Amino acid sequence: MEENTNPLRFETNPYHNVVIKDRKVMELTGVKQIDSFDANEFLLDTAQGWMLIQGKNLKLGKLDTERGDVIIKGTIESLSYVSNKKNSGKESVIERLFK
C-alpha cells in the first residue's frame, strides 16, 4: 500500500469522540485533517490535538469531510495524542526507509 503524505483537510465539528470496536474498527469524530497514513499508521489532526494511530493492515473505511467523521479498519495496536506532530519523535515511513 502506498503511503499518502498529502494532508486531507476538511470541515469538522468541535466535538471529538473515539470508539474502538474489538480492536478492528475505530470510529472518530472531530477530525480536522488526515496528515498522512499507510497500512501501519495514521496521523490525524483532531479537535483535541494531533493523534497517532498505529496498527496492522490499517485502511480508511469511511471519510465524511463535511462532518469530520473517519472510520479506520484493521488491527488497532495503539492510539496516542502528540503535543506537536513535528516534535513527536516519530519518523515518516520515507525517513525510515532512507536511514
Side-chain angles (χ1 to χ4, degrees):
M1 177 179 187
E2 283 186 34
E3 177 186 14
N4 181 343
T5 57
N6 293 329
L8 301 171
R9 293 183 181 94
F10 32 90
E11 295 298 316
T12 185
N13 64 49
Y15 305 104
H16 173 59
N17 294 296
V18 178
V19 176
I20 300 174
K21 299 178 181 179
D22 298 325
R23 290 184 62 191
K24 295 181 190 309
V25 177
M26 179 181 283
E27 299 175 358
L28 301 120
T29 62
V31 177
K32 295 179 183 181
Q33 115 182 15
I34 299 175
D35 188 70
S36 63
F37 66 93
D38 62 21
N40 298 309
E41 61 190 26
F42 276 68
L43 181 60
L44 313 169
D45 185 11
T46 73
Q48 296 296 311
W50 286 96
M51 173 186 281
L52 178 64
I53 301 159
Q54 295 178 310
K56 293 184 177 135
N57 301 315
L58 300 178
K59 56 188 165 188
L60 191 59
K62 174 188 171 190
L63 172 63
D64 183 336
T65 59
E66 288 184 23
R67 297 174 44 105
D69 296 342
V70 172
I71 294 178
I72 298 171
K73 296 181 179 184
T75 302
I76 310 298
E77 293 181 340
S78 71
L79 158 80
S80 60
Y81 290 91
V82 292
S83 58
N84 183 335
K85 74 169 187 159
K86 299 297 181 197
N87 296 326
S88 66
K90 180 188 135 355
E91 296 176 309
S92 73
V93 172
I94 300 298
E95 290 170 331
R96 288 189 300 238
L97 287 173
F98 291 106
K99 270 190 162 180

